Amino acid sequence: MDPKALLKNPGTTPYARLKYLRSLPEEKLQEFFSGLFRHATEGREHQDWSALDAYLEEWERLADTHLQEDDGWVHYDSGPFVPLARPLAECRVCLVTTGGVYVEGQEPFDVRGDWSYRLIPRDTPRERLRIAHDKYDTAGALEDINCVFPYELMAELEAARRIREFAEIAYGFMGYIPEPQALIEETAPQAARHAREAGVEAAVIGTT
Amino acid sequence: MDVQYYERLRLPRSIVVRFPYGRPFGREHEPDNQRVVLEHCLRLLESARGPTVEPLPYRWRREDWTAVLASLHSR
């Protein structure tokens, strides 16, 4: 029996953190499952699931920590920082999403890994927006795209003069990119250049 | 993902929320929830003087978002 196969799940919210248990080594997974069995059995006996609840929480934390120590994840010792030159009421601000959002008629993202991006005009009607991404729970975003890509609210902020302008074009990426080199060297700088040439002075990026 | 994760990425500015994955700006059909998060993003854009990671204190399901937004706007 493959313990990783036992962790296959529907990818919905209740599994959002537990799914990272997959990153643990096999002997840790066996430890997890034997504890799970024990807590479930004792929970049933006493009709008290609080210990099981705490147990799952603890393992979620452990999986998170392990994930962050995994050298496969990109991390940096230093990074760029540019202070905002003037108040946002005088700035053109763009929106970027990694939620796999694209416009009907454009090529959908390849959910197996895709470093390309889509240009999303701000006046795109909601019903023409699509999502191609299977590594997060898209149920909320499919109901209301603003929870990953708040483009209607950005337009509102422009109307209220909180920002000078919501840029004409937003940038849609699909965040599952197991080999990010082409993103780092090619597509991300390309999107940034596009935004700069469009006079964008600040960006809000929603990650999923 | 927690604050340390974002610190390690050395991003210019990050807002960290404790919402289920897939809802970074908040719950669907809760525009005030989304407005609150977006307003925090804008404020961090304006206020940060160096790389900053800001965790938001809000709890999923337990906030009166209209009240939170009103209090944020009065600050």
Side-chain angles (χ1 to χ4, degrees):
Chain A
M1 190 165 45
D2 175 7
K4 284 191 203 286
L6 287 172
L7 287 166
K8 264 183 88 83
N9 65 64
T12 50
T13 312
Y15 301 89
R17 294 178 67 207
L18 277 173
K19 69 180 181 191
Y20 293 114
L21 285 171
R22 278 186 316 227
S23 67
L24 296 175
E26 201 154 309
E27 64 273 14
K28 290 302 277 182
L29 286 183
Q30 268 155 11
E31 188 187 325
F32 167 72
F33 280 114
S34 60
L36 184 69
F37 180 66
R38 188 161 39 82
H39 279 93
T41 309
E42 283 165 15
R44 183 181 65 164
E45 186 61 25
H46 305 292
Q47 287 298 301
D48 173 6
W49 306 102
S50 54
L52 177 64
D53 190 32
Y55 181 77
L56 290 174
E57 280 269 336
E58 182 194 320
W59 277 86
E60 281 176 341
R61 251 198 316 275
L62 208 101
D64 260 0
T65 311
H66 179 79
L67 203 60
Q68 289 162 37
E69 286 165 358
D70 185 344
D71 279 338
W73 285 73
V74 177
H75 60 266
Y76 297 95
D77 295 325
S78 66
F81 181 86
V82 182
L84 201 62
R86 47 181 161 269
L88 283 168
E90 298 167 27
C91 290
R92 182 176 292 167
V93 185
C94 81
L95 196 57
V96 183
T97 173
T98 64
V101 181
Y102 66 100
V103 183
E104 178 191 54
Q106 294 177 339
E107 193 188 341
F109 292 100
D110 182 345
V111 296
R112 295 166 302 176
D114 194 335
W115 50 84
S116 66
Y117 62 94
R118 307 288 177 269
L119 303 178
I120 308 171
R122 58 174 278 180
D123 55 5
T124 307
R126 231 194 230 221
E127 62 276 13
R128 293 199 60 221
L129 291 175
R130 299 280 178 277
I131 296 175
H133 200 319
D134 62 5
K135 294 289 187 292
Y136 75 94
D137 172 16
T138 53
L142 289 169
E143 275 276 316
D144 173 11
I145 197 76
N146 290 286
C147 65
V148 294
F149 180 61
Y151 81 127
E152 292 170 337
L153 302 181
M154 288 293 285
E156 212 181 85
L157 290 165
E158 176 192 88
R161 301 196 179 157
R162 176 70 176 89
I163 57 176
R164 178 171 64 85
E165 200 185 324
F166 173 32
E168 197 55 46
I169 297 291
Y171 303 85
F173 286 84
M174 194 281 294
Y176 182 65
I177 309 171
E179 301 198 13
Q181 216 51 35
L183 172 82
I184 295 165
E185 288 168 8
E186 228 176 276
T187 49
Q190 202 180 325
R193 266 197 307 276
H194 184 282
R196 181 177 284 179
E197 280 161 18
V200 167
E201 295 156 291
V204 175
I205 308 179
T207 62
T208 45
Chain B
M1 300 299 165
D2 56 16
V3 170
Q4 285 76 33
Y5 173 80
Y6 285 94
E7 279 171 350
R8 191 186 279 198
L9 287 176
R10 315 283 172 199
L11 300 174
R13 304 162 183 83
S14 316
I15 292 281
V16 182
V17 293
R18 288 184 294 167
F19 299 160
Y21 295 143
R23 292 157 176 89
F25 291 96
R27 184 189 279 274
E28 55 272 27
H29 303 307
E30 282 266 17
D32 282 344
N33 180 178
Q34 300 161 1
R35 286 182 187 111
V36 164
V37 177
L38 203 48
E39 179 59 27
H40 278 288
C41 293
L42 297 185
R43 287 188 186 196
L44 186 59
L45 256 170
E46 292 178 313
S47 66
R49 292 289 166 265
T52 311
V53 179
E54 183 187 351
L56 297 188
Y58 309 116
R59 299 151 304 170
W60 182 251
R61 291 191 185 96
R62 290 182 211 159
E63 306 291 346
D64 173 349
W65 292 107
T66 307
V68 172
L69 185 66
S71 112
L72 193 59
H73 279 151
S74 68
R75 270 186 263 152

